Amino acid sequence: MKFRAKINDVGCLNHFTRVVNTITKLTKTCVLRLTVDNMYFVLSGKVANGGVSMWCELLQANFFDEYQLEGVSADANEICLEVTPENLSRALKTAQNAKSIKIKLTKKHGPCLTLAAELPSMSSINRIVTHDLPVDIIPRRLWHDFKEPTVPDFDVSIYLPPLKTMKSVVDRMKNLSNYLVVEANMSGEMNLKIETDLVSVTTHFKDLGNPPWADSASQSQSRDAETMAHARVDIRKLQQFLMGQQVNPHKSMCNIVDNRIIHLILLQEDMSLQYFIPAVA
């Protein structure tokens, strides 16, 4: 197995850093899946994660000037590593003014992602800062846990309000309850609701619009446009998602499977992030 990549463009480096910083806010550990064309950060929806799952996909050609990969075999030309995003984030932080940055799979005391940043220098001598980030190589027999999640047959799909606005609402509601109801319909309306024995609070959003794919979704076709689909979720998990956003998506959407799950999607030209939060009773 071999992997090496290089970023020369400062804009690409900053963008990649923002993506990693976002992942860092969402999870302590995740799987970095490397293929010839893409790089993925994956969190599978296991009970240990509170049922939350994540799928972040980067088109490598839009970030890296050089990118070479030799996977575990000819018929499985990819590599899966368990990584700590915070370690990668810290290493990238020291490289923000770097002329270039190289990332390579190496073997020190164990497998590592070695990140070498070439920093600007007043002399002719290159200044290289190197970070060895320990990783675990995931055996091929476990790869099935880290494939792209299937999009559930949603009842409602809707564009999200501005994420900063949504975050400020959720931040205030967090002081009132541990759980929040997200509900929306096919008429572009979304409500965020808190209901306890002492208080009931609802924030209404209107005219958000519904993605075009919502028209062809199997469950939403026969659904009345005004009927709300809803899911009651752990407010901390939603807040975590909203707090971490540094990627300034062109589009942000939410799919709701009634009483089962909310599926949040952020889209940019060169990356996408999906985040699944299960409903609680």
Side-chain angles (χ1 to χ4, degrees), residues 156-163 165-166 182-192 203-212 214 228 250-256 264:
V156 166
S157 183
I158 191 167
Y159 289 116
L160 289 172
L163 296 181
T165 304
M166 197 170 168
V182 180
E183 63 177 20
N185 64 20
M186 296 302 293
S187 292
E189 298 172 330
M190 172 182 266
N191 301 325
L192 302 179
T203 299
H204 303 275
F205 297 97
K206 293 187 176 181
D207 303 319
L208 297 176
N210 301 91
M228 291 284 182
H250 298 320
K251 289 183 180 177
S252 50
M253 293 160 274
C254 176
N255 298 333
I256 302 176
L264 300 156

PDB file of all heavy atoms in Angstrom, residues 156-163 165-166 182-192 203-212 214 228 250-256 264:
ATOM      1  N   VAL A 156     -40.129  14.004   3.453  1.00  0.00           N
ATOM      2  CA  VAL A 156     -40.024  15.416   3.079  1.00  0.00           C
ATOM      3  C   VAL A 156     -38.562  15.753   2.833  1.00  0.00           C
ATOM      4  O   VAL A 156     -37.677  15.293   3.556  1.00  0.00           O
ATOM      5  CB  VAL A 156     -40.591  16.341   4.188  1.00  0.00           C
ATOM      6  CG1 VAL A 156     -40.174  17.788   3.965  1.00  0.00           C
ATOM      7  CG2 VAL A 156     -42.111  16.246   4.249  1.00  0.00           C
ATOM      8  N   SER A 157     -38.311  16.548   1.785  1.00  0.00           N
ATOM      9  CA  SER A 157     -36.981  17.094   1.530  1.00  0.00           C
ATOM     10  C   SER A 157     -37.125  18.604   1.398  1.00  0.00           C
ATOM     11  O   SER A 157     -38.010  19.085   0.675  1.00  0.00           O
ATOM     12  CB  SER A 157     -36.389  16.493   0.250  1.00  0.00           C
ATOM     13  OG  SER A 157     -35.072  16.956   0.036  1.00  0.00           O
ATOM     14  N   ILE A 158     -36.257  19.352   2.103  1.00  0.00           N
ATOM     15  CA  ILE A 158     -36.415  20.807   2.138  1.00  0.00           C
ATOM     16  C   ILE A 158     -35.045  21.476   2.222  1.00  0.00           C
ATOM     17  O   ILE A 158     -34.100  20.906   2.773  1.00  0.00           O
ATOM     18  CB  ILE A 158     -37.302  21.212   3.349  1.00  0.00           C
ATOM     19  CG1 ILE A 158     -37.728  22.684   3.268  1.00  0.00           C
ATOM     20  CG2 ILE A 158     -36.613  20.897   4.685  1.00  0.00           C
ATOM     21  CD1 ILE A 158     -38.839  23.058   4.245  1.00  0.00           C
ATOM     22  N   TYR A 159     -34.938  22.666   1.639  1.00  0.00           N
ATOM     23  CA  TYR A 159     -33.716  23.457   1.811  1.00  0.00           C
ATOM     24  C   TYR A 159     -33.696  24.030   3.228  1.00  0.00           C
ATOM     25  O   TYR A 159     -34.746  24.410   3.768  1.00  0.00           O
ATOM     26  CB  TYR A 159     -33.657  24.604   0.798  1.00  0.00           C
ATOM     27  CG  TYR A 159     -33.414  24.152  -0.623  1.00  0.00           C
ATOM     28  CD1 TYR A 159     -34.376  24.343  -1.613  1.00  0.00           C
ATOM     29  CD2 TYR A 159     -32.211  23.538  -0.978  1.00  0.00           C
ATOM     30  CE1 TYR A 159     -34.154  23.926  -2.924  1.00  0.00           C
ATOM     31  CE2 TYR A 159     -31.983  23.114  -2.286  1.00  0.00           C
ATOM     32  CZ  TYR A 159     -32.954  23.308  -3.246  1.00  0.00           C
ATOM     33  OH  TYR A 159     -32.738  22.889  -4.539  1.00  0.00           O
ATOM     34  N   LEU A 160     -32.503  24.101   3.803  1.00  0.00           N
ATOM     35  CA  LEU A 160     -32.379  24.632   5.159  1.00  0.00           C
ATOM     36  C   LEU A 160     -32.332  26.154   5.143  1.00  0.00           C
ATOM     37  O   LEU A 160     -31.875  26.770   4.169  1.00  0.00           O
ATOM     38  CB  LEU A 160     -31.094  24.105   5.811  1.00  0.00           C
ATOM     39  CG  LEU A 160     -31.073  22.624   6.198  1.00  0.00           C
ATOM     40  CD1 LEU A 160     -29.685  22.215   6.651  1.00  0.00           C
ATOM     41  CD2 LEU A 160     -32.095  22.341   7.303  1.00  0.00           C
ATOM     42  N   PRO A 161     -32.765  26.794   6.245  1.00  0.00           N
ATOM     43  CA  PRO A 161     -32.557  28.238   6.382  1.00  0.00           C
ATOM     44  C   PRO A 161     -31.056  28.509   6.539  1.00  0.00           C
ATOM     45  O   PRO A 161     -30.267  27.563   6.683  1.00  0.00           O
ATOM     46  CB  PRO A 161     -33.327  28.587   7.666  1.00  0.00           C
ATOM     47  CG  PRO A 161     -33.434  27.302   8.420  1.00  0.00           C
ATOM     48  CD  PRO A 161     -33.460  26.207   7.409  1.00  0.00           C
ATOM     49  N   PRO A 162     -30.633  29.784   6.517  1.00  0.00           N
ATOM     50  CA  PRO A 162     -29.204  30.070   6.730  1.00  0.00           C
ATOM     51  C   PRO A 162     -28.686  29.365   7.993  1.00  0.00           C
ATOM     52  O   PRO A 162     -29.327  29.419   9.049  1.00  0.00           O
ATOM     53  CB  PRO A 162     -29.172  31.592   6.876  1.00  0.00           C
ATOM     54  CG  PRO A 162     -30.366  32.074   6.119  1.00  0.00           C
ATOM     55  CD  PRO A 162     -31.415  31.018   6.300  1.00  0.00           C
ATOM     56  N   LEU A 163     -27.543  28.694   7.867  1.00  0.00           N
ATOM     57  CA  LEU A 163     -27.071  27.853   8.965  1.00  0.00           C
ATOM     58  C   LEU A 163     -26.762  28.663  10.225  1.00  0.00           C
ATOM     59  O   LEU A 163     -26.955  28.189  11.339  1.00  0.00           O
ATOM     60  CB  LEU A 163     -25.842  27.054   8.526  1.00  0.00           C
ATOM     61  CG  LEU A 163     -26.086  26.048   7.385  1.00  0.00           C
ATOM     62  CD1 LEU A 163     -24.813  25.295   7.044  1.00  0.00           C
ATOM     63  CD2 LEU A 163     -27.192  25.059   7.747  1.00  0.00           C
ATOM     64  N   THR A 165     -28.341  31.356  11.221  1.00  0.00           N
ATOM     65  CA  THR A 165     -29.643  31.635  11.840  1.00  0.00           C
ATOM     66  C   THR A 165     -30.144  30.408  12.594  1.00  0.00           C
ATOM     67  O   THR A 165     -30.595  30.497  13.746  1.00  0.00           O
ATOM     68  CB  THR A 165     -30.675  32.034  10.762  1.00  0.00           C
ATOM     69  OG1 THR A 165     -30.180  33.135  10.030  1.00  0.00           O
ATOM     70  CG2 THR A 165     -32.009  32.394  11.398  1.00  0.00           C
ATOM     71  N   MET A 166     -30.052  29.263  11.933  1.00  0.00           N
ATOM     72  CA  MET A 166     -30.507  28.011  12.539  1.00  0.00           C
ATOM     73  C   MET A 166     -29.696  27.710  13.802  1.00  0.00           C
ATOM     74  O   MET A 166     -30.246  27.281  14.822  1.00  0.00           O
ATOM     75  CB  MET A 166     -30.357  26.891  11.520  1.00  0.00           C
ATOM     76  CG  MET A 166     -31.138  25.632  11.847  1.00  0.00           C
ATOM     77  SD  MET A 166     -31.109  24.514  10.434  1.00  0.00           S
ATOM     78  CE  MET A 166     -31.766  23.037  11.227  1.00  0.00           C
ATOM     79  N   VAL A 182     -37.736  18.504  14.783  1.00  0.00           N
ATOM     80  CA  VAL A 182     -37.572  19.134  13.473  1.00  0.00           C
ATOM     81  C   VAL A 182     -38.733  18.649  12.608  1.00  0.00           C
ATOM     82  O   VAL A 182     -38.939  17.445  12.453  1.00  0.00           O
ATOM     83  CB  VAL A 182     -36.234  18.722  12.815  1.00  0.00           C
ATOM     84  CG1 VAL A 182     -36.087  19.394  11.452  1.00  0.00           C
ATOM     85  CG2 VAL A 182     -35.054  19.067  13.709  1.00  0.00           C
ATOM     86  N   GLU A 183     -39.514  19.586  12.075  1.00  0.00           N
ATOM     87  CA  GLU A 183     -40.622  19.190  11.198  1.00  0.00           C
ATOM     88  C   GLU A 183     -40.650  20.090   9.969  1.00  0.00           C
ATOM     89  O   GLU A 183     -40.267  21.266  10.029  1.00  0.00           O
ATOM     90  CB  GLU A 183     -41.964  19.202  11.935  1.00  0.00           C
ATOM     91  CG  GLU A 183     -42.413  20.543  12.453  1.00  0.00           C
ATOM     92  CD  GLU A 183     -43.792  20.476  13.117  1.00  0.00           C
ATOM     93  OE1 GLU A 183     -44.217  19.376  13.499  1.00  0.00           O
ATOM     94  OE2 GLU A 183     -44.422  21.540  13.242  1.00  0.00           O
ATOM     95  N   ALA A 184     -41.084  19.509   8.864  1.00  0.00           N
ATOM     96  CA  ALA A 184     -41.111  20.254   7.603  1.00  0.00           C
ATOM     97  C   ALA A 184     -42.136  19.632   6.679  1.00  0.00           C
ATOM     98  O   ALA A 184     -42.579  18.495   6.879  1.00  0.00           O
ATOM     99  CB  ALA A 184     -39.729  20.247   6.950  1.00  0.00           C
ATOM    100  N   ASN A 185     -42.525  20.402   5.640  1.00  0.00           N
ATOM    101  CA  ASN A 185     -43.460  19.877   4.645  1.00  0.00           C
ATOM    102  C   ASN A 185     -42.972  20.210   3.244  1.00  0.00           C
ATOM    103  O   ASN A 185     -41.922  20.826   3.058  1.00  0.00           O
ATOM    104  CB  ASN A 185     -44.889  20.397   4.893  1.00  0.00           C
ATOM    105  CG  ASN A 185     -45.001  21.907   4.742  1.00  0.00           C
ATOM    106  OD1 ASN A 185     -44.161  22.561   4.110  1.00  0.00           O
ATOM    107  ND2 ASN A 185     -46.043  22.481   5.315  1.00  0.00           N
ATOM    108  N   MET A 186     -43.750  19.791   2.254  1.00  0.00           N
ATOM    109  CA  MET A 186     -43.373  19.992   0.862  1.00  0.00           C
ATOM    110  C   MET A 186     -43.837  21.347   0.324  1.00  0.00           C
ATOM    111  O   MET A 186     -43.827  21.590  -0.879  1.00  0.00           O
ATOM    112  CB  MET A 186     -43.933  18.851   0.001  1.00  0.00           C
ATOM    113  CG  MET A 186     -43.360  17.483   0.350  1.00  0.00           C
ATOM    114  SD  MET A 186     -41.565  17.404   0.204  1.00  0.00           S
ATOM    115  CE  MET A 186     -41.384  17.578  -1.567  1.00  0.00           C
ATOM    116  N   SER A 187     -44.229  22.251   1.238  1.00  0.00           N
ATOM    117  CA  SER A 187     -44.575  23.622   0.855  1.00  0.00           C
ATOM    118  C   SER A 187     -43.501  24.612   1.304  1.00  0.00           C
ATOM    119  O   SER A 187     -43.764  25.815   1.416  1.00  0.00           O
ATOM    120  CB  SER A 187     -45.928  24.025   1.465  1.00  0.00           C
ATOM    121  OG  SER A 187     -46.972  23.275   0.873  1.00  0.00           O
ATOM    122  N   GLY A 188     -42.319  24.092   1.611  1.00  0.00           N
ATOM    123  CA  GLY A 188     -41.206  24.969   1.967  1.00  0.00           C
ATOM    124  C   GLY A 188     -41.258  25.510   3.383  1.00  0.00           C
ATOM    125  O   GLY A 188     -40.619  26.521   3.692  1.00  0.00           O
ATOM    126  N   GLU A 189     -42.001  24.835   4.263  1.00  0.00           N
ATOM    127  CA  GLU A 189     -42.111  25.298   5.656  1.00  0.00           C
ATOM    128  C   GLU A 189     -41.360  24.346   6.585  1.00  0.00           C
ATOM    129  O   GLU A 189     -41.423  23.121   6.432  1.00  0.00           O
ATOM    130  CB  GLU A 189     -43.581  25.353   6.078  1.00  0.00           C
ATOM    131  CG  GLU A 189     -44.406  26.336   5.256  1.00  0.00           C
ATOM    132  CD  GLU A 189     -45.893  26.240   5.557  1.00  0.00           C
ATOM    133  OE1 GLU A 189     -46.369  25.137   5.909  1.00  0.00           O
ATOM    134  OE2 GLU A 189     -46.579  27.264   5.438  1.00  0.00           O
ATOM    135  N   MET A 190     -40.640  24.937   7.539  1.00  0.00           N
ATOM    136  CA  MET A 190     -39.926  24.136   8.538  1.00  0.00           C
ATOM    137  C   MET A 190     -40.131  24.763   9.916  1.00  0.00           C
ATOM    138  O   MET A 190     -40.124  25.988  10.056  1.00  0.00           O
ATOM    139  CB  MET A 190     -38.428  24.068   8.217  1.00  0.00           C
ATOM    140  CG  MET A 190     -37.582  23.424   9.313  1.00  0.00           C
ATOM    141  SD  MET A 190     -35.816  23.414   8.928  1.00  0.00           S
ATOM    142  CE  MET A 190     -35.679  21.799   8.181  1.00  0.00           C
ATOM    143  N   ASN A 191     -40.326  23.904  10.918  1.00  0.00           N
ATOM    144  CA  ASN A 191     -40.449  24.350  12.307  1.00  0.00           C
ATOM    145  C   ASN A 191     -39.425  23.640  13.170  1.00  0.00           C
ATOM    146  O   ASN A 191     -39.160  22.453  12.995  1.00  0.00           O
ATOM    147  CB  ASN A 191     -41.849  24.047  12.862  1.00  0.00           C
ATOM    148  CG  ASN A 191     -42.950  24.712  12.067  1.00  0.00           C
ATOM    149  OD1 ASN A 191     -42.782  25.813  11.561  1.00  0.00           O
ATOM    150  ND2 ASN A 191     -44.084  24.039  11.936  1.00  0.00           N
ATOM    151  N   LEU A 192     -38.855  24.379  14.111  1.00  0.00           N
ATOM    152  CA  LEU A 192     -38.019  23.802  15.169  1.00  0.00           C
ATOM    153  C   LEU A 192     -38.785  23.983  16.471  1.00  0.00           C
ATOM    154  O   LEU A 192     -39.135  25.112  16.838  1.00  0.00           O
ATOM    155  CB  LEU A 192     -36.661  24.509  15.232  1.00  0.00           C
ATOM    156  CG  LEU A 192     -35.817  24.487  13.947  1.00  0.00           C
ATOM    157  CD1 LEU A 192     -34.512  25.255  14.151  1.00  0.00           C
ATOM    158  CD2 LEU A 192     -35.526  23.057  13.501  1.00  0.00           C
ATOM    159  N   THR A 203     -40.059  27.821  16.488  1.00  0.00           N
ATOM    160  CA  THR A 203     -39.544  28.800  15.524  1.00  0.00           C
ATOM    161  C   THR A 203     -39.966  28.345  14.132  1.00  0.00           C
ATOM    162  O   THR A 203     -39.731  27.197  13.749  1.00  0.00           O
ATOM    163  CB  THR A 203     -38.002  28.902  15.606  1.00  0.00           C
ATOM    164  OG1 THR A 203     -37.636  29.320  16.911  1.00  0.00           O
ATOM    165  CG2 THR A 203     -37.479  29.907  14.596  1.00  0.00           C
ATOM    166  N   HIS A 204     -40.602  29.251  13.391  1.00  0.00           N
ATOM    167  CA  HIS A 204     -41.138  28.923  12.072  1.00  0.00           C
ATOM    168  C   HIS A 204     -40.251  29.502  10.973  1.00  0.00           C
ATOM    169  O   HIS A 204     -39.814  30.651  11.065  1.00  0.00           O
ATOM    170  CB  HIS A 204     -42.551  29.515  11.897  1.00  0.00           C
ATOM    171  CG  HIS A 204     -43.528  29.079  12.939  1.00  0.00           C
ATOM    172  ND1 HIS A 204     -44.241  27.909  12.844  1.00  0.00           N
ATOM    173  CD2 HIS A 204     -43.899  29.662  14.105  1.00  0.00           C
ATOM    174  CE1 HIS A 204     -45.027  27.792  13.903  1.00  0.00           C
ATOM    175  NE2 HIS A 204     -44.837  28.845  14.684  1.00  0.00           N
ATOM    176  N   PHE A 205     -40.002  28.715   9.935  1.00  0.00           N
ATOM    177  CA  PHE A 205     -39.327  29.189   8.727  1.00  0.00           C
ATOM    178  C   PHE A 205     -40.253  28.923   7.546  1.00  0.00           C
ATOM    179  O   PHE A 205     -40.829  27.844   7.435  1.00  0.00           O
ATOM    180  CB  PHE A 205     -37.999  28.454   8.506  1.00  0.00           C
ATOM    181  CG  PHE A 205     -36.979  28.671   9.593  1.00  0.00           C
ATOM    182  CD1 PHE A 205     -36.841  27.746  10.621  1.00  0.00           C
ATOM    183  CD2 PHE A 205     -36.167  29.797   9.606  1.00  0.00           C
ATOM    184  CE1 PHE A 205     -35.906  27.928  11.626  1.00  0.00           C
ATOM    185  CE2 PHE A 205     -35.228  29.990  10.600  1.00  0.00           C
ATOM    186  CZ  PHE A 205     -35.091  29.054  11.618  1.00  0.00           C
ATOM    187  N   LYS A 206     -40.381  29.915   6.657  1.00  0.00           N
ATOM    188  CA  LYS A 206     -41.262  29.770   5.499  1.00  0.00           C
ATOM    189  C   LYS A 206     -40.506  30.048   4.207  1.00  0.00           C
ATOM    190  O   LYS A 206     -39.440  30.665   4.211  1.00  0.00           O
ATOM    191  CB  LYS A 206     -42.452  30.727   5.614  1.00  0.00           C
ATOM    192  CG  LYS A 206     -43.400  30.389   6.757  1.00  0.00           C
ATOM    193  CD  LYS A 206     -44.636  31.261   6.729  1.00  0.00           C
ATOM    194  CE  LYS A 206     -45.621  30.833   7.816  1.00  0.00           C
ATOM    195  NZ  LYS A 206     -46.846  31.653   7.794  1.00  0.00           N
ATOM    196  N   ASP A 207     -41.094  29.597   3.095  1.00  0.00           N
ATOM    197  CA  ASP A 207     -40.562  29.870   1.750  1.00  0.00           C
ATOM    198  C   ASP A 207     -39.126  29.396   1.576  1.00  0.00           C
ATOM    199  O   ASP A 207     -38.322  30.048   0.903  1.00  0.00           O
ATOM    200  CB  ASP A 207     -40.655  31.377   1.426  1.00  0.00           C
ATOM    201  CG  ASP A 207     -42.074  31.902   1.526  1.00  0.00           C
ATOM    202  OD1 ASP A 207     -42.990  31.182   1.079  1.00  0.00           O
ATOM    203  OD2 ASP A 207     -42.262  33.013   2.043  1.00  0.00           O
ATOM    204  N   LEU A 208     -38.797  28.263   2.186  1.00  0.00           N
ATOM    205  CA  LEU A 208     -37.443  27.730   2.066  1.00  0.00           C
ATOM    206  C   LEU A 208     -37.233  27.035   0.727  1.00  0.00           C
ATOM    207  O   LEU A 208     -36.118  26.954   0.227  1.00  0.00           O
ATOM    208  CB  LEU A 208     -37.161  26.740   3.210  1.00  0.00           C
ATOM    209  CG  LEU A 208     -37.183  27.335   4.626  1.00  0.00           C
ATOM    210  CD1 LEU A 208     -36.988  26.238   5.660  1.00  0.00           C
ATOM    211  CD2 LEU A 208     -36.098  28.410   4.774  1.00  0.00           C
ATOM    212  N   GLY A 209     -38.293  26.500   0.171  1.00  0.00           N
ATOM    213  CA  GLY A 209     -38.189  25.760  -1.089  1.00  0.00           C
ATOM    214  C   GLY A 209     -37.877  24.295  -0.849  1.00  0.00           C
ATOM    215  O   GLY A 209     -37.372  23.906   0.202  1.00  0.00           O
ATOM    216  N   ASN A 210     -38.207  23.480  -1.829  1.00  0.00           N
ATOM    217  CA  ASN A 210     -37.963  22.044  -1.759  1.00  0.00           C
ATOM    218  C   ASN A 210     -37.102  21.628  -2.952  1.00  0.00           C
ATOM    219  O   ASN A 210     -37.361  22.067  -4.073  1.00  0.00           O
ATOM    220  CB  ASN A 210     -39.280  21.268  -1.769  1.00  0.00           C
ATOM    221  CG  ASN A 210     -40.193  21.655  -0.614  1.00  0.00           C
ATOM    222  OD1 ASN A 210     -41.024  22.563  -0.747  1.00  0.00           O
ATOM    223  ND2 ASN A 210     -40.034  20.999   0.511  1.00  0.00           N
ATOM    224  N   PRO A 211     -36.074  20.811  -2.737  1.00  0.00           N
ATOM    225  CA  PRO A 211     -35.208  20.385  -3.842  1.00  0.00           C
ATOM    226  C   PRO A 211     -36.002  19.683  -4.936  1.00  0.00           C
ATOM    227  O   PRO A 211     -37.008  19.024  -4.654  1.00  0.00           O
ATOM    228  CB  PRO A 211     -34.231  19.411  -3.165  1.00  0.00           C
ATOM    229  CG  PRO A 211     -34.243  19.778  -1.718  1.00  0.00           C
ATOM    230  CD  PRO A 211     -35.639  20.255  -1.444  1.00  0.00           C
ATOM    231  N   PRO A 212     -35.565  19.807  -6.189  1.00  0.00           N
ATOM    232  CA  PRO A 212     -36.314  19.199  -7.301  1.00  0.00           C
ATOM    233  C   PRO A 212     -36.455  17.691  -7.181  1.00  0.00           C
ATOM    234  O   PRO A 212     -37.449  17.124  -7.635  1.00  0.00           O
ATOM    235  CB  PRO A 212     -35.495  19.585  -8.541  1.00  0.00           C
ATOM    236  CG  PRO A 212     -34.158  20.043  -8.028  1.00  0.00           C
ATOM    237  CD  PRO A 212     -34.403  20.575  -6.666  1.00  0.00           C
ATOM    238  N   ALA A 214     -37.204  16.066  -4.716  1.00  0.00           N
ATOM    239  CA  ALA A 214     -38.304  15.734  -3.812  1.00  0.00           C
ATOM    240  C   ALA A 214     -39.557  15.315  -4.579  1.00  0.00           C
ATOM    241  O   ALA A 214     -40.365  14.517  -4.100  1.00  0.00           O
ATOM    242  CB  ALA A 214     -38.614  16.925  -2.906  1.00  0.00           C
ATOM    243  N   MET A 228     -46.895  17.828   7.692  1.00  0.00           N
ATOM    244  CA  MET A 228     -45.560  17.867   8.262  1.00  0.00           C
ATOM    245  C   MET A 228     -45.026  16.454   8.498  1.00  0.00           C
ATOM    246  O   MET A 228     -45.745  15.574   8.980  1.00  0.00           O
ATOM    247  CB  MET A 228     -45.564  18.629   9.597  1.00  0.00           C
ATOM    248  CG  MET A 228     -45.815  20.123   9.469  1.00  0.00           C
ATOM    249  SD  MET A 228     -44.334  20.961   8.865  1.00  0.00           S
ATOM    250  CE  MET A 228     -44.886  22.678   8.868  1.00  0.00           C
ATOM    251  N   HIS A 250     -22.802  25.785  -0.894  1.00  0.00           N
ATOM    252  CA  HIS A 250     -23.667  26.468  -1.868  1.00  0.00           C
ATOM    253  C   HIS A 250     -25.126  26.110  -1.595  1.00  0.00           C
ATOM    254  O   HIS A 250     -26.024  26.931  -1.784  1.00  0.00           O
ATOM    255  CB  HIS A 250     -23.304  26.041  -3.288  1.00  0.00           C
ATOM    256  CG  HIS A 250     -21.912  26.396  -3.690  1.00  0.00           C
ATOM    257  ND1 HIS A 250     -21.316  27.595  -3.356  1.00  0.00           N
ATOM    258  CD2 HIS A 250     -20.971  25.708  -4.394  1.00  0.00           C
ATOM    259  CE1 HIS A 250     -20.089  27.628  -3.832  1.00  0.00           C
ATOM    260  NE2 HIS A 250     -19.841  26.502  -4.469  1.00  0.00           N
ATOM    261  N   LYS A 251     -25.351  24.862  -1.163  1.00  0.00           N
ATOM    262  CA  LYS A 251     -26.704  24.410  -0.855  1.00  0.00           C
ATOM    263  C   LYS A 251     -26.672  23.584   0.415  1.00  0.00           C
ATOM    264  O   LYS A 251     -25.734  22.809   0.646  1.00  0.00           O
ATOM    265  CB  LYS A 251     -27.268  23.561  -2.007  1.00  0.00           C
ATOM    266  CG  LYS A 251     -27.598  24.354  -3.254  1.00  0.00           C
ATOM    267  CD  LYS A 251     -28.207  23.469  -4.331  1.00  0.00           C
ATOM    268  CE  LYS A 251     -28.525  24.280  -5.582  1.00  0.00           C
ATOM    269  NZ  LYS A 251     -29.051  23.426  -6.663  1.00  0.00           N
ATOM    270  N   SER A 252     -27.698  23.732   1.220  1.00  0.00           N
ATOM    271  CA  SER A 252     -27.843  22.900   2.413  1.00  0.00           C
ATOM    272  C   SER A 252     -29.287  22.424   2.487  1.00  0.00           C
ATOM    273  O   SER A 252     -30.220  23.208   2.300  1.00  0.00           O
ATOM    274  CB  SER A 252     -27.453  23.673   3.678  1.00  0.00           C
ATOM    275  OG  SER A 252     -28.095  24.914   3.735  1.00  0.00           O
ATOM    276  N   MET A 253     -29.448  21.125   2.727  1.00  0.00           N
ATOM    277  CA  MET A 253     -30.769  20.497   2.660  1.00  0.00           C
ATOM    278  C   MET A 253     -30.994  19.574   3.841  1.00  0.00           C
ATOM    279  O   MET A 253     -30.046  19.165   4.511  1.00  0.00           O
ATOM    280  CB  MET A 253     -30.894  19.688   1.361  1.00  0.00           C
ATOM    281  CG  MET A 253     -30.912  20.525   0.121  1.00  0.00           C
ATOM    282  SD  MET A 253     -30.482  19.554  -1.341  1.00  0.00           S
ATOM    283  CE  MET A 253     -28.727  19.674  -1.308  1.00  0.00           C
ATOM    284  N   CYS A 254     -32.248  19.243   4.048  1.00  0.00           N
ATOM    285  CA  CYS A 254     -32.622  18.298   5.093  1.00  0.00           C
ATOM    286  C   CYS A 254     -33.693  17.359   4.554  1.00  0.00           C
ATOM    287  O   CYS A 254     -34.703  17.810   4.016  1.00  0.00           O
ATOM    288  CB  CYS A 254     -33.151  19.057   6.314  1.00  0.00           C
ATOM    289  SG  CYS A 254     -33.767  17.991   7.632  1.00  0.00           S
ATOM    290  N   ASN A 255     -33.450  16.055   4.660  1.00  0.00           N
ATOM    291  CA  ASN A 255     -34.468  15.045   4.370  1.00  0.00           C
ATOM    292  C   ASN A 255     -34.979  14.486   5.696  1.00  0.00           C
ATOM    293  O   ASN A 255     -34.177  14.221   6.600  1.00  0.00           O
ATOM    294  CB  ASN A 255     -33.888  13.890   3.541  1.00  0.00           C
ATOM    295  CG  ASN A 255     -33.383  14.346   2.181  1.00  0.00           C
ATOM    296  OD1 ASN A 255     -33.852  15.332   1.632  1.00  0.00           O
ATOM    297  ND2 ASN A 255     -32.408  13.630   1.650  1.00  0.00           N
ATOM    298  N   ILE A 256     -36.270  14.310   5.801  1.00  0.00           N
ATOM    299  CA  ILE A 256     -36.852  13.770   7.027  1.00  0.00           C
ATOM    300  C   ILE A 256     -37.614  12.492   6.709  1.00  0.00           C
ATOM    301  O   ILE A 256     -38.473  12.471   5.824  1.00  0.00           O
ATOM    302  CB  ILE A 256     -37.820  14.779   7.685  1.00  0.00           C
ATOM    303  CG1 ILE A 256     -37.096  16.099   8.013  1.00  0.00           C
ATOM    304  CG2 ILE A 256     -38.433  14.186   8.952  1.00  0.00           C
ATOM    305  CD1 ILE A 256     -38.007  17.183   8.577  1.00  0.00           C
ATOM    306  N   LEU A 264     -29.042  15.396   6.908  1.00  0.00           N
ATOM    307  CA  LEU A 264     -28.604  16.743   6.563  1.00  0.00           C
ATOM    308  C   LEU A 264     -27.530  16.658   5.479  1.00  0.00           C
ATOM    309  O   LEU A 264     -26.632  15.817   5.549  1.00  0.00           O
ATOM    310  CB  LEU A 264     -28.050  17.438   7.806  1.00  0.00           C
ATOM    311  CG  LEU A 264     -29.068  17.583   8.953  1.00  0.00           C
ATOM    312  CD1 LEU A 264     -28.367  17.721  10.280  1.00  0.00           C
ATOM    313  CD2 LEU A 264     -29.983  18.767   8.708  1.00  0.00           C
TER     314      LEU A 264
END
